Amino acid sequence: MRVIVGVSDMKVSANPGDELVTYSLGSCIGIVIYDPVAKVGGILHYMLPESSLDPEKARKNPYMFADTGIPALFKASYALGAKKQRMKVAIAGGAQILDQQGFFNIGKRNHMAVKKMFFRNNVIANHEDVGGNVNRTVRLKIVSGDIHIKVGGEGEKKL
């Protein structure tokens, strides 16, 4: 079953029939995690780097921000039996879409937020497809752990 992960959303699954997918990763970041032993995976689609930008929104929806959404993603996967040391991790998005002059640099700031958080928590991304000025779609098949990234104008590739 295809499970859609919306903007400012997160889904985790241990159901082998599930395929998680998130669309339209522009300046947003999609983080995909998968434990091949537990066969547990998840996707987070966050919009902004820091919850301090709007603590009230962060309280209502922690998946909107890197610093609240990333811990929630990992904790939800642990609750289904995943272990951090076995995780395959992929990062996609962080493009410069609506900000061609780079004034706000939301995509770069979003990418730096995940890099800092991963560094502090000893998490290494196995793959990154970030930056540029293209939208991306990411899919994760729970049964196999296959991760596919579709890049605007380039087609889809399996990681």
Side-chain angles (χ1 to χ4, degrees), residues 51-104:
S51 59
S52 62
L53 296 169
D54 194 332
E56 181 59 25
K57 277 189 180 167
R59 190 181 61 72
K60 289 180 182 174
N61 184 0
Y63 311 132
M64 183 178 284
F65 302 94
D67 63 344
T68 51
I70 294 169
L73 173 67
F74 278 83
K75 287 176 185 171
S77 72
Y78 300 156
L80 294 177
K83 301 264 187 254
K84 181 171 85 170
Q85 59 271 24
R86 297 188 304 230
M87 292 280 193
K88 282 179 25 182
V89 180
I91 302 169
Q96 196 168 300
I97 299 292
L98 300 174
D99 180 27
Q100 294 302 318
Q101 269 56 23
F103 184 72
F104 295 108

Side-chain angles (χ1 to χ4, degrees), residues 5 9 14-15 20 22-24 42 46 61 63 65 75 93 100 110 117 120-121 123 127 130-132 151 155-156:
V5 182
D9 192 11
N15 181 341
L20 308 183
T22 193
Y23 299 99
S24 297
Y46 71 84
N61 184 0
Y63 311 132
F65 302 94
K75 287 176 185 171
Q100 294 302 318
N110 276 338
M117 185 163 279
R120 283 194 304 251
N121 291 283
V123 175
H127 186 84
V130 296
V151 179
E156 185 174 85

Side-chain angles (χ1 to χ4, degrees), residues 1-6 11 13 15-23 43 137-142 148 150 156:
M1 182 169 113
R2 184 166 277 195
V3 178
I4 307 296
V5 182
K11 298 280 192 294
S13 177
N15 181 341
D18 283 352
E19 177 182 66
L20 308 183
V21 62
T22 193
Y23 299 99
I43 296 179
T137 294
V138 179
R139 296 186 298 121
L140 168 65
K141 292 184 178 184
I142 299 300
H148 298 262
K150 182 178 179 185
E156 185 174 85

